[in-house]
């Protein structure tokens, strides 16, 4: 708790689970080892089965989460029907954040370091009054420049959905309908600027608006872009993604989100009120989502599948 003052509060943890028992166990077991676990409230949202074949798997996960201990309080919300990941996260985060003012969010395929909660809570408290910071990310991809960086964090123009935190006053302003999409779709300059943040973003949003995917994260990314806001990332990753299997909802490109997990257990972090982009890191971060990079991951996945 080195970064936290007496008046600071710990954000509740919101965990979303579905039908992956093995991954859920690994996620929870790592979370239980966090330094601040015993002081944190845990909310678990369990989505209902989408298919008949999933009912037993969902039941197995629910039997497990009812046995979880190691947190200040545990609150379980089980949905009778299948909401899907996007609706589950939007509804679940909204419910909890309206009561607490901030949240730390995980899905059932994320292994955290022991100091994940330390970093998230410290950054949430430090930047709570910043108008330009929309979220905190415990995850970071492996970037060359991070090996020598002397800061505990860096900032980018793109949010992460892999172990993150935000505040009620930022979350409540998101337009989940993307009501200005038609004008954005005709604005070549804005689209190019967004493409420069991530080459995958414009196409992903178009697929969302065409009803081909149902992603809460792309709408969150768009909200960040339109409002010119930043995300604070840990310079040493506090989260590793383990959900690359066939049952993964979104991430099926093996290794794409794997990163080197922080083993230092450092608990005190330095942040700056003045926000400055490191252009070298920004370029490396953007290139991590480049067409070439994404194609490479897909080809690796196909090779593993058929060889």
């Amino acid at each position: 708790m080195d970064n936290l003052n007496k008046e600071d509060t710990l954000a509740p943890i919101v965990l979303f689970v579905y039908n992956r028992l093995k991954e859920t166990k690994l996620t929870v077991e790592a979370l239980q080892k966090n330094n601040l676990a015993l002081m944190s409230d845990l909310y678990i949202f369990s989505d209902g089965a989408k298919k008949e074949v999933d009912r037993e798997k969902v039941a197995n996960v629910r039997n497990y989460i009812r046995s979880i201990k190691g947190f200040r309080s545990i609150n379980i919300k089980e949905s009778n029907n299948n909401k899907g990941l996007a609706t589950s996260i939007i509804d679940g985060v909204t419910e909890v954040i309206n009561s607490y003012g901030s949240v730390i969010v995980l899905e059932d395929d994320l292994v955290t370091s022991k100091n994940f909660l330390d970093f998230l809570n410290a950054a949430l408290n430090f930047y709570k009054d910043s108008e330009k910071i929309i979220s905190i990310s415990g995850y970071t991809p492996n970037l060359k420049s991070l090996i020598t960086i002397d800061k505990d964090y860096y900032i980018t123009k793109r949010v992460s959905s892999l172990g993150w935190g935000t505040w009620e006053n930022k979350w409540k302003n998101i337009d989940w309908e993307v009501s200005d999409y038609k004008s954005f779709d005709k604005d070549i300059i804005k689209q190019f600027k967004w493409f420069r943040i991530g080459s995958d973003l414009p196409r992903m949003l178009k697929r969302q608006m065409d009803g081909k995917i149902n992603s809460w994260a792309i709408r969150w990314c768009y909200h960040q872009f339109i409002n010119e806001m930043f995300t604070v990332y840990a310079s040493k990753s506090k989260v590793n993604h383990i959900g690359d299997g066939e049952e993964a909802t979104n991430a099926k490109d093996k290794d794409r989100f794997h990163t080197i997990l922080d083993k230092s257990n450092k608990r005190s972090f330095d942040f700056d009120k003045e926000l400055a982009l490191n252009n070298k890191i920004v370029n490396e971060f953007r290139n991590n989502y480049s067409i070439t990079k994404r194609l490479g991951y897909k080809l690796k996945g196909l090779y593993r599948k058929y060889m």
Side-chain angles (χ1 to χ4, degrees):
M1 290 186 66
D2 294 5
N3 266 106
L4 302 178
N5 300 315
K6 289 182 179 179
E7 64 272 17
D8 291 333
T9 57
L10 295 183
I13 307 160
V14 185
L15 172 64
F16 294 91
V17 303
Y18 182 45
N19 68 349
R20 295 183 287 176
L21 181 59
K22 177 183 176 182
E23 288 85 351
T24 299
K25 282 184 175 181
L26 291 172
T27 297
V28 171
E29 287 167 1
L31 196 56
Q32 287 170 323
K33 295 175 183 176
N34 262 251
N35 300 311
L36 297 178
L38 286 170
M39 302 169 62
S40 301
D41 297 317
L42 174 64
Y43 285 79
I44 305 176
F45 287 85
S46 170
D47 200 8
K50 184 177 182 179
K51 303 173 184 177
E52 189 62 35
V53 69
D54 291 332
R55 291 193 182 279
E56 184 177 353
K57 294 178 182 178
V58 169
N60 290 337
V61 170
R62 289 182 174 180
N63 286 336
Y64 168 68
I65 61 176
R66 292 171 192 150
S67 71
I68 292 173
K69 297 178 181 178
F71 300 88
R72 190 175 80 160
S73 69
I74 300 172
N75 306 271
I76 298 173
K77 310 272 186 173
E78 298 178 356
S79 176
N80 292 325
N81 60 306
N82 180 262
K83 291 183 173 184
L85 183 60
T87 301
S88 293
I89 287 184
I90 294 170
D91 289 352
V93 169
T94 300
E95 179 181 336
V96 178
I97 207 169
N98 286 347
S99 297
Y100 286 83
S102 62
V103 290
I104 293 170
V105 184
L106 292 165
E107 294 175 38
D108 60 358
D109 54 6
L110 302 172
V111 168
T112 53
S113 63
K114 289 182 67 175
N115 58 356
F116 166 73
L117 293 178
D118 293 285
F119 180 84
L120 263 289
N121 278 291
L124 283 169
N125 279 292
F126 187 89
Y127 289 107
K128 62 184 176 183
D129 297 321
S130 173
E131 295 181 357
K132 299 301 291 182
I133 299 298
I134 190 174
S135 67
I136 311 298
S137 174
Y139 167 86
T140 181
N142 297 323
L143 307 178
K144 278 187 178 181
S145 295
L146 295 181
I147 297 174
T148 56
I149 189 174
D150 60 355
K151 290 182 177 290
D152 295 317
Y153 76 99
Y154 63 97
I155 63 173
T156 76
K157 298 179 180 180
R158 178 170 179 159
V159 296
S160 169
S161 61
L162 303 179
W164 53 277
T166 192
W167 306 267
E168 190 268 342
N169 64 339
K170 306 295 173 57
W171 185 258
K172 71 178 182 181
N173 292 326
I174 300 173
D175 175 14
W176 297 110
E177 301 301 318
V178 195
S179 53
D180 64 343
Y181 179 70
K182 286 186 178 179
S183 62
F184 170 74
D185 194 37
K186 297 176 183 177
D187 193 324
I188 297 175
I189 294 175
K190 279 187 178 179
Q191 289 206 43
F192 178 73
K193 286 181 178 179
W194 206 29
F195 179 87
R196 290 283 295 160
I197 294 173
S199 62
D200 56 326
L201 295 175
R203 181 175 180 271
M204 203 184 309
L205 182 61
K206 180 172 175 53
R207 284 172 58 79
Q208 170 67 34
M209 301 311 294
D210 289 343
K212 294 180 180 179
I213 61 172
N214 187 20
S215 168
W216 66 274
I218 189 59
R219 288 175 276 174
W220 197 34
C221 280
Y222 177 74
H223 174 80
Q224 177 181 30
F225 166 72
I226 289 297
N227 289 279
E228 299 180 344
M229 301 176 80
F230 304 102
T231 291
V232 173
Y233 276 76
S235 56
K236 292 185 178 179
S237 192
K238 313 294 187 279
V239 182
N240 192 25
H241 182 261
I242 59 171
D244 301 311
E246 289 302 310
E247 292 176 324
T249 302
N250 294 316
K252 293 183 180 180
D253 299 333
K254 190 170 180 61
D255 295 339
R256 181 179 176 186
F257 299 103
H258 283 207
T259 188
I260 300 171
L261 200 63
D262 182 11
K263 301 292 185 182
S264 71
N265 200 26
K266 179 179 180 179
R267 302 191 64 189
S268 181
F269 307 97
D270 294 321
F271 302 104
D272 301 296
K273 291 291 185 183
E274 185 177 342
L275 303 175
L277 288 167
N278 181 315
N279 289 329
K280 192 171 183 181
I281 290 177
V282 167
N283 289 333
E284 289 178 16
F285 190 96
R286 180 177 64 243
N287 291 338
N288 194 60
Y289 294 91
S290 68
I291 295 172
T292 303
K293 197 89 168 182
R294 287 183 285 120
L295 180 60
Y297 284 124
K298 287 187 180 295
L299 291 175
K300 284 182 182 178
L302 289 172
Y303 177 82
R304 288 190 179 96
K305 184 176 181 180
Y306 294 107
M307 294 300 291

